[in-house]
Amino acid sequence: MTDDRGGAVLEGPGTDEEGKARTDRRTRITVLVALGANLVIAVAKAVGGLVAGSPALLSEAAHSVADSMNEVFLLAALRRSRRPADSRHPFGYGKERFFWSLLAAVGIFVMGGCFSFYQAMHALTTPSEESYDGYVAGIAVLGVALLSEGASLLRALHQVRGQGGRVGGLRDPALRTVVAEDGTAVLGVTLAIGGMALHMVTGQVIWEASASFAIGALLVYVAYRLGRDAREQLIGVAADPEPSRRIRALLEAQPEIDSVEALLTMQLGLDSTLVAARVDLVPGLDSERVEEVAVRIKRSIAHVVPEADQIFLDVTDKSEWRRHGERAAKSPAATGERGGA
């Protein structure tokens, strides 16, 4: 984007590619650990649930199957989001992560939450003879699952801390989904153990059905939160307030800038942000000086906010902008009137 006085539009350099690759490798390992744990646990839960006839255990089996499929989605997101920009997608494929995270949220809702509700209703409406054969083995399976899910959660939380704590680490939708899934799994397994144990002690299936309902409600809530975040990113959400504040402060500190008329930002991916600013320069700068200022500002923004890799500047001379603005204010477009030939 250029204006008639030589304002320049330039792209800032991206963040360190080797650092991005290392972060992606760590996230991929975290996802693979979660996938391996969920596959083994899903089989064990399903077998134990069928043997024991436990709705809570079968709900947890569906939960683990949903989590396993979601980890496949997240692996696809990690691979596809790093494709380089091309003519059809000039800003790159960073939003692939948000799309696949949205699919993962749908998977949690449909396969995990809805099946858990079904199991709860089935247990309450289908009369059956009370038999606790296999319940001890089922609780043992859930105990092993609790340890496995807990280990996977600790791995994910360790990576979050390594990437800057809550704000830094959980910006990655793939990692955020793994943390949410593992945290939900730990709580879900605990609910299932409690429901099965109370069913055995009291002989009332309501406890186990309640556990299935609780697991379903938990999964639906987590799916809603993950889906809402992914939706906002896909629509186009502004950068965090702190980077925007730093960019505005940098622009306002430039001696050649008289005022910042507009500053717009949008997250294009995990570490890619679009910055568009319209600034008024002080009067008297020639076109060569304007271009030098634009280049310096672009480099300064990229240094202050490394993820700002798409920077667009619209620079105008304030005195001339005012003259054009006065004429534009009298036009039908400015007053809201409609004109026609």
Side-chain angles (χ1 to χ4, degrees):
M1 183 189 307
T2 59
D3 70 352
D4 55 1
R5 285 164 299 286
V9 173
L10 297 166
E11 295 184 358
T15 54
D16 179 50
E17 292 299 326
E18 292 184 0
K20 293 179 184 179
R22 284 194 299 270
T23 299
D24 272 5
R25 281 195 296 270
R26 288 194 293 267
T27 302
R28 186 175 293 107
I29 292 172
T30 299
V31 175
L32 287 171
V33 168
L35 175 60
N38 281 318
L39 286 174
V40 174
I41 293 169
V43 174
K45 288 177 180 177
V47 173
L50 292 173
V51 171
S54 167
L57 192 49
L58 289 173
S59 295
E60 273 300 299
H63 181 182
S64 295
V65 171
D67 286 352
S68 299
M69 291 193 64
N70 293 338
E71 261 96 53
V72 175
F73 289 155
L74 298 180
L75 290 173
L78 290 172
R79 181 178 62 85
R80 295 176 64 86
S81 64
R82 288 305 183 191
R83 289 182 295 171
D86 52 37
S87 59
R88 187 172 177 81
H89 298 88
F91 294 112
Y93 291 82
K95 289 195 175 186
E96 286 267 15
R97 292 206 184 200
F98 309 128
F99 169 74
W100 290 99
S101 295
L102 179 61
L103 291 186
V106 173
I108 293 173
F109 176 82
V110 175
M111 296 189 63
C114 293
F115 187 78
S116 295
F117 288 140
Y118 165 77
Q119 283 297 318
M121 291 300 299
H122 181 75
L124 290 175
T125 58
T126 303
S128 61
E129 297 182 1
E130 293 295 336
S131 173
Y132 304 120
D133 295 339
Y135 261 55
V136 174
I139 292 177
V141 168
L142 288 176
V144 174
L146 184 62
L147 294 176
S148 179
E149 298 285 10
S152 179
L153 177 61
L154 289 176
R155 159 76 196 188
L157 292 176
H158 175 73
Q159 185 177 345
V160 170
R161 288 193 296 270
Q163 292 180 213
R166 182 180 183 276
V167 175
L170 292 187
R171 289 181 63 249
D172 187 343
L175 184 56
R176 183 168 62 242
T177 301
V178 171
V179 170
E181 287 181 349
D182 288 345
T184 304
V186 169
L187 184 54
V189 169
T190 303
L191 289 170
I193 291 175
M196 291 178 68
L198 288 172
H199 185 186
M200 291 179 65
V201 171
T202 65
Q204 299 294 321
V205 73
I206 185 65
W207 293 108
E208 207 167 345
S210 297
S212 292
F213 270 123
I215 292 169
L218 180 64
L219 292 174
V220 168
Y221 174 73
V222 170
Y224 164 74
R225 291 295 301 270
L226 292 174
R228 185 188 65 178
D229 292 344
R231 172 183 173 273
E232 288 183 354
Q233 297 285 357
L234 288 172
I235 291 173
V237 67
D240 294 335
E242 179 57 24
S244 297
R245 185 197 63 77
R246 293 203 303 267
I247 293 173
R248 180 173 288 276
L250 184 150
L251 293 174
E252 292 175 345
Q254 304 302 312
E256 297 87 355
I257 293 180
D258 186 85
S259 63
V260 180
E261 296 299 320
L263 175 61
L264 304 175
T265 62
M266 184 172 68
Q267 294 181 16
L268 300 176
L270 177 60
D271 43 29
S272 176
T273 300
L274 181 147
V275 177
R278 189 176 78 243
V279 298
D280 286 339
L281 301 181
V282 297
L285 299 179
D286 57 31
S287 60
E288 183 176 350
R289 178 61 176 159
V290 168
E291 186 169 358
E292 291 176 357
V293 169
V295 171
R296 190 190 72 225
I297 292 173
K298 177 267 302 181
R299 290 175 177 170
S300 298
I301 292 175
H303 178 73
V304 171
V305 182
E307 63 267 25
D309 58 349
Q310 302 288 345
I311 303 173
F312 298 83
L313 298 178
D314 183 7
V315 294
T316 58
D317 183 284
K318 186 171 185 179
S319 59
E320 186 168 345
W321 181 87
R322 281 180 173 173
R323 291 196 297 271
H324 287 302
E326 290 174 358
R327 290 196 296 270
K330 300 176 182 178
S331 69
T335 59
E337 301 173 2
R338 295 178 179 269

